[in-house]
Amino acid sequence: MRVRLKGDAICTLLLLVALCSLLYSQLEHLVPVGNKEPTQKKPSGTSKIFSDARASWRLMPAEATAPRPPVTPTIRRTEVANKKVQTTTAPPLTDSAFNFKRYLLNKDNRNFNILINQPKKCRKIPGGPFLLIAIKSVVEDFDRREIVRKTWGREGLVNGEQIQRVFLLGTPKNRTVLATWETLVHQESQAYRDILLWDFVDTFFNLTLKEIHFLNWAAEFCHNVKFIFKGDADVFVNVENIVDFLERHDPTEDLFVGDIIYNARPIRVRKSKYYIPETMYGLSIYPAYAGGGGFLLSSRTMRKLSRACREVELFPIDDVFLGMCLQRINLKPVLHEGFKTFGIVKPSAAPHLQTFDPCFYKDLMVVHSLKVAEIWLMWNLLHSPHLSCTQKKQVKKPFQWKKKAQPTTQASPLG
Ligand SMILES: *[C@@H]1O[C@H](CO)[C@@H](O)[C@H](O)[C@H]1NC(C)=O
Ligand SMILES: *[C@@H]1O[C@H](CO)[C@@H](O)[C@H](O)[C@H]1NC(C)=O
């Protein structure tokens, strides 16, 4: 009897175990099935997906509407030390050992012939152009010039004001490609009539020569211009904003506006590309100067600067050199928040959203360090007939949906 009972008990036990494991395996099987198609079957699954979507939507408009990145003075300060990296298109000399001795010896050799001129650039406009856009470029950067011509550098009327354009070039450093480039540059000049070419080698440390020669050219051939924008080819310029700003100013008064850098110190580290020995500049602080990405000046200031710069000794950093010229005529450059010559500080979360939100660019004047495609895209987005930055805010429906949902979640703890 005992044995039978024992056997029965074992049997039941085994059966129970078998049943349990069967149930368990069934359960295990059920769970993944439920997870596989939550959208159709489980209402909870649906709500989860919606809340996920909401979360990502919440992120998107927030990033897109972010009024302005915090380009605080502290950011600018820290970047002052290596500011040349961000403020010039022309790459520094690859032969890093800049020969200061030779530079100092050659310093008086500062007048070079103009090889390609556009003497009628301003003269042909009755009453003179409202704005001359002068862009530093190198012969090799044909594609950059093309994109600038097609976008913000267009000649013609903007808000009823006449815009003219020139590119500022020196001779290519690479002698082996000289023959090809000579043909190209002449063809380009014939086609667009916007090339100014001078007979000095186009190097980073010769940008000061470009500055001097451009100012002299403008004083001689473009004295009837009202304002000048001078900048790099890798910037995005909101010409409409610039024209709007300049219409409120008098070209017969002094004006110099840009991303002004104050109290920058000369770099005394010998290894740096921007090293300036004390024999070249003895003071501990540079005069206030504009970041090379782009700045504005009036006709009056252009004439005064062209004279003043002739009396200032050559200095290898062109932005600083112009600051020295400004100091000589006792003119204080004006800082304008619309000039972002260090580029936009992109949030790491969604950099693409911020850089390519055209509404974000609407309030700016100059943004530095953009790729050719970015310039083209931004210009097209900004000039799209569908662009309406106030309307864009209304499109953000998920925001409203979220707000509607909020009262219920708040009501539940109360109720
Ligand atoms: C000059 O250009 C030629 C042809 O494009 C190239 O092969 C050469 O490496 C260049 N030299 C320098 C120093 O950049
Ligand atoms: C500037 O250009 C002149 C004339 O082409 C040249 O002799 C000189 O070496 C260049 N200087 C620098 C620093 O590149």
Side-chain angles (χ1 to χ4, degrees):
M1 271 296 266
R2 257 188 200 176
V3 179
R4 255 202 80 165
L5 263 173
K6 217 175 176 182
D8 275 357
I10 286 167
C11 244
T12 330
L13 217 73
L14 276 174
L15 268 169
L16 263 168
V17 167
L19 196 77
C20 278
S21 58
L22 196 80
L23 269 168
Y24 186 70
S25 75
Q26 280 290 325
L27 266 172
E28 231 180 6
H29 201 65
L30 270 169
V31 175
V33 167
N35 264 5
K36 261 178 206 162
E37 16 182 31
T39 39
Q40 287 92 4
K41 285 186 178 172
K42 285 187 174 180
S44 63
T46 330
S47 78
K48 189 186 178 299
I49 276 167
F50 261 34
S51 64
D52 279 355
R54 194 177 48 180
S56 61
W57 262 102
R58 201 189 302 142
L59 182 77
M60 269 165 66
E63 297 294 348
T65 44
R68 269 183 199 194
V71 187
T72 57
T74 37
I75 288 168
R76 194 180 288 123
R77 283 297 108 73
T78 54
E79 284 179 341
V80 160
N82 51 14
K83 63 113 224 165
K84 262 294 160 182
V85 186
Q86 288 108 334
T87 53
T88 13
T89 26
L93 282 174
T94 34
D95 38 311
S96 54
F98 175 60
N99 193 331
F100 286 98
K101 212 170 169 184
R102 207 176 67 191
Y103 189 87
L104 289 167
L105 284 172
N106 281 329
K107 227 164 44 165
D108 293 330
N109 188 16
R110 50 192 283 170
N111 294 307
F112 294 88
N113 291 329
I114 190 158
L115 300 174
I116 298 178
N117 193 2
Q118 310 297 334
K120 289 185 203 144
K121 178 56 67 179
C122 299
R123 220 180 284 161
K124 69 182 174 194
I125 309 293
F130 178 76
L131 179 68
L132 175 73
I133 295 178
I135 306 137
K136 287 185 275 182
S137 182
V138 291
V139 166
E140 293 90 328
D141 277 355
F142 175 75
D143 55 342
R144 280 212 170 269
R145 289 193 291 281
E146 273 296 279
I147 211 72
V148 169
R149 284 181 184 116
K150 289 197 174 94
T151 58
W152 59 266
R154 273 188 187 183
E155 294 194 323
L157 294 178
V158 172
N159 293 352
E161 307 285 7
Q162 182 65 39
I163 315 290
Q164 295 292 91
R165 170 195 70 231
V166 283
F167 288 102
L168 317 174
L169 306 174
T171 58
K173 206 177 118 202
N174 189 336
R175 292 274 150 188
T176 54
V177 295
L178 202 59
T180 329
W181 290 118
E182 208 166 355
T183 325
L184 173 106
V185 145
H186 279 98
Q187 285 290 320
E188 218 183 315
S189 170
Q190 299 253 301
Y192 299 108
R193 302 265 166 221
D194 62 0
I195 299 288
L196 297 180
L197 176 73
W198 287 280
D199 195 13
F200 54 80
V201 183
D202 212 337
T203 60
F204 176 76
F205 291 110
N206 262 348
L207 284 173
T208 302
L209 287 178
K210 211 176 253 191
E211 193 77 65
I212 294 170
H213 285 80
F214 168 67
L215 286 169
N216 287 341
W217 178 88
E220 186 176 352
F221 296 101
C222 203
H223 50 83
N224 59 352
V225 75
K226 296 197 173 53
F227 298 99
I228 292 174
F229 170 83
K230 183 168 178 283
D232 286 338
D234 67 339
V235 298
F236 179 82
V237 182
N238 195 324
V239 179
E240 282 86 355
N241 283 357
I242 284 184
V243 167
D244 188 58
F245 172 80
L246 290 176
E247 277 175 335
R248 287 176 267 134
H249 287 84
D250 183 353
T252 63
E253 282 175 11
D254 275 324
L255 177 79
F256 191 99
V257 181
D259 184 15
I260 309 302
I261 295 144
Y262 301 94
N263 303 319
R265 290 172 181 279
I267 293 171
R268 305 292 193 198
V269 181
R270 217 170 270 269
K271 271 189 269 175
S272 167
K273 280 176 216 160
Y274 317 107
Y275 164 65
I276 295 292
E278 279 174 38
T279 49
M280 183 159 268
Y281 188 80
L283 304 178
S284 62
I285 280 172
Y286 285 140
Y289 64 93
F295 52 83
L296 292 168
L297 61 157
S298 68
S299 191
R300 178 188 164 93
T301 302
M302 172 267 286
R303 280 190 297 270
K304 281 167 99 175
L305 277 177
S306 98
R307 264 177 271 130
C309 287
R310 278 175 220 162
E311 291 153 16
V312 176
E313 282 198 27
L314 281 196
F315 190 76
I317 303 171
D318 64 329
D319 311 354
V320 177
F321 173 79
L322 200 61
M324 293 170 176
C325 304
L326 283 167
Q327 197 177 43
R328 199 173 174 85
I329 58 169
N330 245 320
L331 182 65
K332 294 225 174 343
V334 177
L335 173 75
H336 192 290
E337 281 303 314
F339 289 75
K340 304 290 184 201
T341 59
F342 291 123
I344 299 285
V345 179
K346 299 168 190 172
S348 53
H352 55 290
L353 286 175
Q354 185 133 34
T355 354
F356 288 107
D357 178 7
C359 293
F360 180 74
Y361 277 67
K362 255 187 112 90
D363 303 328
L364 297 173
M365 290 205 192
V366 179
V367 181
H368 199 257
S369 297
L370 292 183
K371 293 183 182 76
V372 168
E374 289 175 327
I375 292 172
W376 185 84
L377 180 60
M378 191 44 59
W379 198 85
N380 280 287
L381 289 176
L382 263 180
H383 291 83
S384 155
H386 307 295
L387 177 73
S388 166
C389 291
T390 41
Q391 196 191 335
K392 217 173 158 257
K393 271 170 199 151
Q394 288 164 8
V395 178
K396 286 153 200 160
K397 287 259 163 63
F399 251 144
Q400 294 184 334
W401 183 75
K402 196 190 121 215
K403 270 178 194 157
K404 265 184 210 162
Q406 254 173 357
T408 54
T409 49
Q410 278 174 352
S412 55
L414 289 169

